[in-house]
Amino acid sequence: MTVRVVAPSVVVLVGPSASGKSTWAAEQFEPSQVVSSDALRGLVGEGEHDLRASTDAFDVLDAIVERRLKRGLLTVIDTLGLEAERRAKWQALAEAHGAPCYAVAFNTPAAECKARNRRRRDQVPAKVLTQQIENFAATKLDGFAEVFVPGPIEIVPPPFADAREAVDRQKSAPAKLRFGLQISRFDDIPRLGEIAAAAEEAGVSSIWVMDHFIQIPQVGREWDAMLDGWTTLGYLTAHTGRATLGTLVTGITYRNVAHVGKLAATLDVLSNGRAVCGIGAAWFEREHQAYGWQFPSVGERYALLEDALRLYPLLWGPGNPEFVGDAIGKIEAVCYPRPVQERIPILVGGSGERRTLKLVAQYADACNLFGDPETVRHKVAVLHKHCATEGRDPEQIEITHLSPCLIGEDRRHVEALIDGLLPAGANRHAYAASVNAGTVEDQIGRFRELAEAGVRHAIVGLRDLTGPEPLGRLKHVIDAF
């Protein structure tokens, strides 16, 4: 059975010096991930067998482990691991940096250890080896996240730590979950329509585009291609026939507030009732500066957002009633033609607990959350409290969740995808975690955990979406729900 190790973490190899730890480590990990007390004795002493340098070698080892943990790197400690005090120190270092600490117990039979020792050029004294074997037999490996015997290792990002158990739950008692696709990069504009059509074929129920004017730093470079969001949605209406379409999300400062309502109504007419109006308080000050727009205070932006939430149902409804907003003042709520939908669903982006989620409870049809299942569970609980205060049924609000995603057919394919996308100089494990790089089964487990936390609509941003191919792998995930 393959053992799953969550990165970053500390892996302590425990056992007698003739148990084969170094050989196994060399087969399972990259050389840069393994630190050895013997090798460090060679640096601080006369050689790796200079036992007088052991104290200094362990001081250096501990410093290396701490610095690697600060940088989010997986670290394998190849040493005897027989002293409880040293094991406790490594466990404490891992805990301080929020990383799991594992033990690999090399319970190699005494006869085999002694036979291996006889074949070594530099043999461990027989009495010393015998004492190591006895010490190992008496060692209690407490305090580790998991203790396992040597075998194949699979290193996975933290989001997939419990994926296998979650997959089992999904198979035994399937949860329902809608899926959406967010298009955040426009690397291959000519294939945009093909991508949207393939997304529908894969089973996504919604397609979203970012509404920005220069690419955001979390996704790419400032000079990368970035299409206008609402114009792009108009284009996508001609290449889709079922999925809902929306921006995720339109910053309320980018356009006249009533104009955004008109854009949403137009999209609804052109798509025959498939528009969603995604709005938020805006955050990207850089593009405001670039385009010469005002970037109001947080309070002013929230006032604009609340005006929009109050205005749009009137704008899309019958007649042309007068509207008076706190931020936009008095206007006439006039919009012809009317949307196809009686009410275009309004999604509010952001998860601020005091203001944003309160506005969702008061006015919106959906919210968009980020983060791991525990974070989502907490935000949902906060939203429900606001709903109780407002006298609103929380079931009327759809919980959506946005996350990046990199899906491989198997672990080898995942690693190849990471190789093709890893930015120069980036921490490989940190990057894999940031884009949720995992197999189809990993993703099923992650989305099952999000569904258990309250998510009803999972929106994914496929990091390798330069054509329709990744959508075939996403289809396998969707099919599981």
Side-chain angles (χ1 to χ4, degrees), residues 357 360-361 382-394 397:
L357 293 180
V360 170
V382 172
L383 175 61
H384 285 189
K385 288 181 181 178
H386 284 305
C387 287
T389 301
E390 297 298 327
R392 185 162 181 209
D393 181 0
I397 300 170

Side-chain angles (χ1 to χ4, degrees), residues 251-326:
I252 204 62
T253 56
Y254 294 155
R255 303 171 183 85
N256 173 281
V257 170
H259 181 202
V260 174
K262 178 66 174 180
L263 289 172
T266 300
L267 178 66
D268 201 59
V269 171
L270 295 177
S271 66
N272 194 29
R274 293 186 287 130
V276 178
C277 184
I279 54 176
W283 60 270
F284 195 18
E285 186 175 5
R286 168 72 183 103
E287 62 190 353
H288 290 75
Q289 296 171 343
Y291 280 77
W293 299 327
Q294 294 295 315
F295 188 63
S297 68
V298 172
E300 292 174 300
R301 298 201 306 275
Y302 271 101
L304 281 170
L305 180 59
E306 184 164 8
D307 278 358
L309 292 167
R310 293 173 51 223
L311 167 66
Y312 292 159
L314 293 176
L315 189 72
W316 301 327
N320 55 339
E322 179 182 275
F323 174 81
V324 181
D326 292 337

Side-chain angles (χ1 to χ4, degrees), residues 112-129:
E112 178 63 23
C113 283
K114 292 175 181 178
R116 290 177 181 176
N117 190 46
R118 287 192 294 269
R119 295 193 294 267
R120 292 174 57 157
R121 185 183 65 179
D122 300 306
Q123 294 183 11
V124 178
K127 289 184 178 180
V128 173
L129 180 58

